[in-house]
Amino acid sequence: MIPSFAIFVLLNINASVALLASRPRAHLVPHNHRLQPRHPFALPATQQDDADAAVSPDITSAVALFAAVPAGALVLQLLYAQRVLLPLLLVKRVYIYAMATYVVAVGGARGGGDPSALGTRLESLTREVLPDSLAPTTDLAPLQKLDAVDETQQAALVPAAVAASLLLSLGLLALASSDGGAVREAAASATSLAALSTAGTLGIFTRAELQRVGAPAATALAAVLVAFAYLVPAAYAWPVQNILCMCLAIATARALQFSNFAALCAAAAALVAYDVASVAATLPLATAAVGAKAAAGAGATAGAPSAAAAASPMGAVAVSRLSEGFQPGLLQVRLGGRVSDVLGLGDSVFPALVAGFAKRYDLAQEESRLFPAALAGFGVGCLLCELSPGIDGRGLPALLYILPVMLLAVLATATVNGDDVFEL
């Protein structure tokens, strides 16, 4: 079955787990041209040429994704082996935020140039990641019907899909820990099928990134990376797992884009509310089962997710992802074979929507002001996350800090420049 971005987003968007590693005190250880609304976005000729050129081999992108990520992991391991603690604490935080920033920057920059109409965008992105042998013969015309879904509806559907996916994951966790043998087997079978589908999706997205940078034998190389991530113990495979998760996050961010600032703000508000509720809420059902897995699988040491983290819905899913083999959804750092720092993919995917809107507006205005402001806002939001005490040691709703700061940065920059972002 040909994978569709629409299906993938609905089934796998629970990557928005927002646990953050702790610091020593209480955390886990270390205008003149206006576009008409709701119409497909079309770039001027010169800008369209630039957008087409962006698909050509990009060595800088390749180095950042496929070389800098494992190189940074190697530096962390060397610092850990030498017990250089203060630089280690700083570098591992910079490392994990740098990966998230890459997703926000690349996902936003590409998303800003993608078609604004939902169906047209999904069709374009699906054709981009399909193998060359399938792309010409695959009928994706039915996706065009999604162009009728306006961005107000999308603003409601995105948080709803995220919440539904989280509930599905929690349901599978509850079934997997139930007393009935048949129920446990059914839950295990469903989880295995989902893992197989996710592995295939990761391979497709990773292959697309490799092809984008002109890598030879991209299909075979992507298959090797996916196999390595799933078959090699996480203590050694986690840098490759991060690369796959970043490819996944970029593709998802491009699928979920807004060209209506009011709709974007509404979706962001709902996502922030969801993030806070899913971290702050208590989930006694998952605490015992998942908390035990946290101690046994992730290592009950400073820096590993605790049973307190597993008591929240989002924490329960996060701990399960960390303790039951490779399950995409988290950017992570492992030192000495144990989890040290984690950051949910949602904390980079959803900020990339703000960055994508800013890029789209800059392209329409033939200038570059809002996109840098959005990235700066992301950096400030990450810094605020580091300064926050967290909620009962169970994790941090990072979107509470990141999304409002990014939106305010975009809005303030537009106001200073005399632009009206609500007119895009």
Side-chain angles (χ1 to χ4, degrees):
M1 183 174 69
I2 301 303
S4 163
F5 274 87
I7 297 175
F8 170 76
V9 168
L10 290 176
L11 294 181
N12 295 288
I13 197 59
N14 64 333
S16 61
V17 181
L19 285 178
L20 286 177
S22 63
R23 304 178 305 282
R25 58 185 198 193
H27 295 262
L28 302 176
V29 169
H31 303 279
N32 297 320
H33 305 287
R34 302 294 185 189
L35 298 179
Q36 296 300 320
R38 298 185 180 89
H39 285 272
F41 179 73
L43 295 175
T46 56
Q47 294 174 353
Q48 186 63 57
D49 292 340
D50 293 340
D52 293 339
V55 184
S56 62
D58 184 349
I59 301 303
T60 302
S61 175
V63 170
L65 180 59
F66 295 104
V69 171
L74 179 60
V75 170
L76 288 174
Q77 296 302 328
L78 292 175
L79 291 175
Y80 179 77
Q82 297 297 321
R83 294 296 189 267
V84 188
L85 297 183
L86 185 58
L88 177 63
L89 290 174
L90 176 62
V91 172
K92 67 192 183 78
R93 300 307 296 161
V94 171
Y95 175 78
I96 201 164
Y97 283 127
M99 290 189 292
T101 301
Y102 178 90
V103 171
V104 174
V106 175
R110 294 181 191 171
D114 288 328
S116 61
L118 178 60
T120 303
R121 181 170 68 252
L122 293 177
E123 179 184 10
S124 173
L125 296 178
T126 303
R127 290 195 183 281
E128 182 179 322
V129 302
L130 282 177
D132 296 336
S133 59
L134 294 178
T137 59
T138 304
D139 181 17
L140 297 175
L143 287 176
Q144 292 282 348
K145 296 179 181 179
L146 293 175
D147 286 347
V149 179
D150 64 34
E151 296 202 358
T152 302
Q153 294 173 299
Q154 293 179 50
L157 288 174
V158 169
V162 173
S165 185
L166 178 63
L167 291 175
L168 176 61
S169 297
L170 290 173
L172 289 175
L173 284 176
L175 292 176
S177 60
S178 65
D179 295 332
V183 174
R184 283 200 307 271
E185 290 179 4
S189 298
T191 302
S192 298
L193 290 175
L196 183 61
S197 173
T198 301
T201 303
L202 287 172
I204 290 173
F205 291 164
T206 305
R207 171 188 173 277
E209 290 296 323
L210 289 168
Q211 281 194 320
R212 197 177 187 94
V213 299
T219 301
L221 184 54
V224 169
L225 291 174
V226 171
F228 188 88
Y230 276 92
L231 300 179
V232 175
Y236 307 100
W238 65 269
V240 175
Q241 294 173 355
N242 284 340
I243 291 174
L244 299 184
C245 286
M246 291 166 72
C247 294
L248 165 66
I250 290 170
T252 305
R254 292 180 64 189
L256 303 174
Q257 285 293 327
F258 289 89
S259 57
N260 182 311
F261 191 69
L264 174 62
C265 290
L271 288 168
V272 167
Y274 157 83
D275 203 26
V276 173
S278 57
V279 170
T282 300
L283 190 68
L285 178 64
T287 302
V290 183
K293 292 176 182 177
T301 63
S306 63
S312 69
M314 195 172 288
V317 175
V319 171
S320 173
R321 290 181 184 276
L322 290 169
S323 59
E324 296 184 351
F326 176 47
Q327 298 184 55
L330 296 169
L331 298 174
Q332 59 180 301
V333 172
R334 290 179 183 258
L335 299 174
R338 294 175 176 176
V339 177
S340 171
D341 299 66
V342 292
L343 183 68
L345 280 190
D347 298 330
S348 55
V349 169
F350 300 128
L353 306 188
V354 181
F357 171 86
K359 184 65 174 181
R360 190 179 300 274
Y361 191 90
D362 284 348
L363 290 172
Q365 300 298 320
E366 301 184 18
E367 59 186 12
S368 181
R369 294 176 178 174
L370 299 192
F371 184 66
L375 295 183
F378 179 75
V380 173
C382 292
L383 179 60
L384 292 177
C385 289
E386 288 298 292
L387 299 176
S388 171
I391 298 180
D392 298 332
R394 294 183 298 176
L396 187 73
L399 295 181
L400 174 64
Y401 302 92
I402 295 174
L403 286 182
V405 172
M406 291 185 71
L407 291 171
L408 287 174
V410 169
L411 189 58
T413 303
T415 302
V416 169
N417 294 330
D419 294 330
D420 186 358
V421 292
F422 292 94
E423 300 247 341
L424 179 62

